[in-house]
């Protein structure tokens, strides 16, 4: 991400849905912001429940309207950095084995089927844990969910040095993979901390930098292995085992930091907010119901399975693929494989940036088109990678392919926060679980048996990406429309308040959804006119 970068939404002063709290018009460089406008004189600065002023300009929900990457100020930017670092370490732990696979397979006598089963196991466990994490985020909070999961799964990493059989190796990878559910807490946190106009870049950057763990581990684990073997003098079958203490220690330390320094929402932690009457003590039954009855949940779970799911699959196979097909040594194959994951430094964030930028002019319809185009191009490039037989061109195609498949992940979570306000956690978890199901399905079909060579599997995986991206065409929001059809006369308030029954509305439980609806009017796009008188009523007046 380059310095002096600003993304602006182009809103002018006084436009319905805009909020001017705390903006000076002279924001520091190296930030992403939804607007740059002057602050009215005498306007009261926003504070949290304890009366503390926010370090960033915020909207009516106290969500930040800008992302300052250099800042660690609480609560917004501290949460941002805790979320992506914790997810990165979990990604590192989950994929610590593939870079050392040539050594591990010789030590344990693993077959291609064993290696395929271990790869599937590493992402299969996260299907359940991601669904559970979504529920925990909705009802208990992302801080506890993230911290406890990291510390609970850390013992599995410390068990890897004790493995002596293929079954043991598969089981350990299965239990370590549970920690990938920290992705859900990461995305829930970003959607809760940052305004809807910059939620794409916030989600994309946090998750993208977290996904870099898949690239960093390809560099670090072979390096740690070499240091232990060469400098300490351990034999290679002992060195790979000792190397696993690195991700184990990192995961325990980060879990403790999240627990002590994290914060659930801009105004405080769930327990504190519920005591003060500032957060609804919601019903699991109702939160779950609104998630599973929204058809968009299933479409995005499927499409995410063929962007993030493909990324997980490639993380499992790419080092071994280059090692075997192009006759490279372990460290060279690891360096090449690492570039795939390291592309997340900017590829997934740029997917979120593009989602936010097209939404300025074309609203939600632009976000949908953006996702479909990026992911379809990624599928075509995956096909090309599978038929490329020379090392140099294969590396070049892999890098371009990695950009598009990872950018599609960022573009997806530029849309997810708008599907539901009440059931955001469960829908985020279901989408994330869809990514893991896609990885399990793809790896099981194409990379477990001798039926397909690895290069043929990669080509066929590309065809599946193109096919499974098509259902985005059927996603329609009544207040914003779809790729091919315009919106109805429904408003944002109609859509989000419908998640609360009349009794709940009478008790005022829907007020947070009303605030969200007011801020979500930007998804109409620049040229869409107001559709009701209520559009001119600020959320602060509710």
């Amino acid at each position: 991400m380059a310095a002096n970068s600003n993304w602006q939404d182009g809103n002018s002063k006084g436009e319905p849905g805009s909020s001017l709290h705390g903006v000076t018009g002279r924001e520091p460089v190296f930030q992403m912001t939804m607007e740059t406008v002057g602050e009215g004189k005498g306007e009261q600065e926003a504070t949290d429940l304890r009366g503390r002023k926010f370090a960033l300009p915020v909207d009516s929900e106290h969500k930040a309207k800008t992302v300052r990457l250099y800042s660690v100020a609480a609560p917004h930017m501290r949460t941002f950095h805790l979320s992506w670092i914790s997810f990165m370490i979990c990604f590192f732990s989950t994929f610590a084995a593939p870079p050392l696979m040539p050594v591990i397979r010789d030590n344990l006598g693993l077959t291609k089927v064993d290696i395929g089963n271990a790869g599937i196991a590493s992402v299969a466990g996260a299907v359940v844990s991601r669904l559970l994490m979504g529920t925990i985020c909705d009802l208990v909070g992302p801080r506890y969910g993230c911290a406890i999961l990291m510390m609970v799964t850390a013992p599995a990493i410390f068990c890897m040095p004790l493995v002596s059989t293929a079954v043991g190796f598969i089981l350990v990878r299965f239990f370590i993979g549970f920690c990938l559910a920290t992705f859900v807490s990461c995305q829930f946190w970003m959607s809760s901390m940052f305004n809807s106009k910059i939620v794409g870049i916030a989600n994309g950057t946090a998750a993208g930098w977290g996904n870099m763990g898949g690239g960093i581990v390809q560099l670090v684990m072979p390096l740690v292995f070499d240091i232990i073997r060469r400098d300490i003098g351990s034999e290679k079958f002992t060195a790979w085992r000792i190397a696993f203490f690195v991700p184990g220690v990192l995961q325990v330390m980060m879990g403790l930091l999240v627990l002590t320094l994290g914060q659930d929402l801009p105004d405080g932690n769930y327990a504190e907010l519920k005591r003060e009457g500032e957060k609804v003590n919601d019903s699991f039954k109702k939160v779950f119901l609104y998630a599973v009855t929204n058809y968009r949940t299933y479409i995005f779970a499927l499409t995410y399975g063929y962007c993030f799911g493909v990324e997980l699959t490639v993380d499992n196979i790419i080092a071994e693929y280059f090692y075997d097909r192009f006759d490279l040594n372990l460290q060279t194959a690891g360096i090449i494989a690492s570039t795939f994951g390291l592309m997340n430094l900017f590829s997934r964030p740029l997917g979120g940036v593009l989602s936010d930028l097209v939404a300025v002019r074309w609203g939600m319809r632009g976000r949908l088109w953006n996702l479909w185009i990026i992911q379809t191009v990624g599928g075509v490039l995956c096909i090309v990678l599978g038929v490329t037989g020379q090392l140099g061109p294969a590396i070049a195609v892999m890098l371009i392919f990695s950009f598009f498949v990872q950018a599609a992940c960022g573009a997806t979570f530029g849309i997810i926060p708008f599907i539901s306000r009440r059931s955001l956690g469960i829908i985020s978890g279901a989408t994330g679980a869809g990514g893991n199901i896609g990885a399990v399905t793809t790896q099981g079909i194409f990379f477990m048996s001798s039926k397909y060579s690895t290069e043929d599997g990669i080509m066929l995986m590309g065809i599946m990406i193109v096919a499974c991206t098509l259902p985005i065409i059927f996603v329609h929001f009544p207040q914003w429309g779809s790729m091919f059809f315009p919106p109805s006369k429904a408003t944002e308030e109609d859509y989000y308040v419908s998640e609360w029954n009349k009794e709940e509305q009478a008790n005022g439980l829907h007020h947070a959804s009303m605030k969200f609806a007011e801020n979500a009017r930007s998804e109409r796009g620049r040229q869409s006119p107001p559709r009701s008188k209520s559009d001119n009523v600020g959320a602060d007046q509710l």
Side-chain angles (χ1 to χ4, degrees):
M1 200 67 61
N4 299 320
S5 295
N6 265 357
W7 287 274
Q8 300 181 0
D9 70 342
N11 281 359
S12 60
K13 184 177 180 180
E15 179 176 334
S18 64
S19 179
L20 311 180
H21 297 295
V23 184
T24 66
R26 298 181 298 276
E27 302 302 329
V29 297
F30 206 78
Q31 65 184 0
M32 293 151 285
T33 179
M34 56 172 278
E35 58 187 334
T36 309
V37 293
E39 179 182 358
K41 292 183 179 180
E43 185 175 0
Q44 185 176 359
E45 290 189 77
T47 60
D48 64 12
L49 287 181
R50 299 180 182 176
R52 297 172 297 192
K53 296 178 181 178
F54 294 107
L56 303 182
V58 297
D59 64 12
S60 57
E61 298 177 273
H62 291 173
K63 293 181 180 181
K65 297 191 292 184
T66 185
V67 179
R68 297 176 184 167
L69 299 177
Y70 56 82
S71 173
V72 291
H76 303 94
M77 293 313 303
R78 180 184 295 175
T79 297
F80 174 87
H81 292 298
L82 286 173
S83 65
W84 78 259
I85 295 173
S86 60
F87 181 42
M88 181 188 70
I89 290 173
C90 289
F91 222 99
F92 187 105
S93 300
T94 301
F95 295 100
L100 304 179
M101 192 60 71
V103 177
I104 297 173
R105 72 184 179 188
D106 291 343
N107 186 195
L108 301 181
L110 302 178
T111 65
K112 183 175 182 180
V113 173
D114 293 330
I115 295 170
N117 283 330
I120 289 175
S122 69
V123 295
V127 173
V128 176
S129 65
R130 286 187 169 194
L131 289 170
L132 291 175
M133 179 65 83
T135 304
I136 291 170
C137 287
D138 279 327
L139 302 179
V140 181
R143 180 175 67 100
Y144 277 139
C146 179
I148 293 174
L149 180 63
M150 291 188 78
M151 289 186 283
V152 165
T153 53
I157 305 171
F158 292 117
C159 286
M160 185 62 87
L162 305 177
V163 167
S164 59
T165 65
V167 173
F169 179 69
I170 292 169
L171 287 174
V172 169
R173 290 210 68 192
F174 174 76
F175 287 113
I176 294 174
F178 275 66
C179 69
L180 286 179
T182 50
F183 164 79
V184 178
S185 59
C186 171
Q187 299 296 270
F188 183 93
W189 246 337
M190 296 302 95
S191 299
S192 301
M193 288 285 181
F194 294 93
N195 179 272
S196 60
K197 294 181 183 179
I198 57 169
V199 72
I201 183 59
N203 272 332
T205 304
W209 289 5
N211 285 354
M212 280 198 306
I216 293 172
V217 73
Q218 301 280 357
L219 288 173
V220 173
M221 289 302 283
L223 178 62
V224 171
F225 170 79
D226 277 347
I227 291 173
I228 295 171
R229 184 171 61 89
R230 184 183 64 246
D231 297 343
I232 299 179
S234 296
E235 62 175 20
K236 66 177 183 178
F237 289 165
T238 301
W240 76 261
R241 298 172 184 274
I242 298 173
F244 272 86
F245 283 93
V246 172
V249 171
L250 288 175
Q251 196 158 307
V252 171
M253 292 174 60
M254 196 63 208
L256 292 172
L257 286 175
V258 169
L259 188 64
T260 55
L261 299 178
Q263 182 171 307
D264 291 320
L265 294 173
D267 287 316
N269 292 316
Y270 274 28
E272 178 185 11
L273 294 173
K274 288 177 180 178
R275 284 196 303 268
E276 298 292 332
E278 295 293 329
K279 178 168 176 56
V280 176
N281 194 7
D282 217 337
S283 160
F284 166 74
K285 180 180 178 180
K286 291 181 178 178
V287 171
F288 181 77
L289 176 67
Y290 285 114
V292 299
T293 56
N294 192 320
Y295 76 92
R296 301 167 192 85
T297 302
Y298 303 100
I299 290 180
F300 285 107
L302 172 64
T303 61
Y304 198 63
Y306 286 90
C307 55
F308 184 67
V310 167
E311 183 179 351
L312 292 177
T313 300
V314 174
D315 281 331
N316 266 323
I317 68 168
I318 197 65
E320 189 180 11
Y321 171 67
F322 277 99
Y323 178 88
D324 290 333
R325 186 172 189 187
F326 299 105
D327 196 26
L328 304 176
N329 62 46
L330 184 63
Q331 196 160 8
T332 302
I335 291 172
I336 294 171
S338 72
T339 60
F340 180 87
L342 291 175
M343 288 288 287
N344 273 294
L345 176 65
F346 58 87
S347 56
R348 185 161 182 157
L350 281 178
V353 170
L354 289 171
S355 184
D356 290 340
L357 285 177
V358 297
V360 171
R361 183 174 180 84
W362 294 288
M364 178 55 68
R365 300 178 74 181
R367 290 187 190 270
L368 293 170
W369 273 104
N370 176 66
L371 173 57
W372 180 79
I373 292 171
I374 291 174
Q375 190 156 320
T376 300
V377 172
V380 172
L381 288 166
C382 187
I383 296 171
V384 174
L385 177 62
V387 299
T388 303
Q390 294 181 325
L391 179 60
I395 294 172
V397 173
M398 181 197 71
L399 291 175
I400 302 171
F401 160 61
S402 70
F403 171 82
F404 279 93
V405 74
Q406 292 161 7
C409 297
T412 298
F413 274 84
I415 298 171
I416 296 302
F418 298 100
I419 294 177
S420 171
R421 172 64 174 78
R422 190 172 188 179
S423 305
L424 172 62
I426 291 181
I427 291 176
S428 297
T431 305
N436 288 73
I437 292 172
V440 169
T441 303
T442 304
Q443 193 151 338
I445 294 173
F446 300 127
F447 302 106
M448 270 191 62
S449 70
S450 57
K451 183 177 181 180
Y452 301 106
S453 65
T454 303
E455 51 266 35
D456 287 342
I458 291 172
M459 180 192 67
L460 293 171
M461 181 169 66
I463 295 173
M464 286 192 72
I465 294 171
V466 174
C468 292
T469 304
L470 288 173
I472 296 173
I473 294 171
F474 302 108
V475 174
H476 184 274
F477 290 89
Q479 72 275 36
W480 299 316
S482 62
M483 287 174 62
F484 293 105
F485 296 100
S488 66
K489 293 183 179 180
T491 65
E492 290 77 7
E493 287 82 358
D494 295 331
Y495 182 80
Y496 292 110
V497 174
S498 67
E499 296 181 320
W500 304 88
N501 62 36
K502 291 184 179 179
E503 181 181 351
E504 290 170 327
Q505 292 180 40
N507 291 327
L509 303 184
H510 68 302
H511 283 175
S513 292
M514 290 289 284
K515 287 184 178 182
F516 182 81
E518 188 264 345
N519 287 310
R521 289 175 193 152
S522 59
E523 295 308 303
R524 299 175 183 179
R526 183 175 290 168
Q527 298 178 349
S528 298
R531 289 191 288 275
S532 74
K533 292 182 181 179
S534 66
D535 287 354
N536 296 314
V537 179
D540 290 327
Q541 300 176 36
L542 297 173

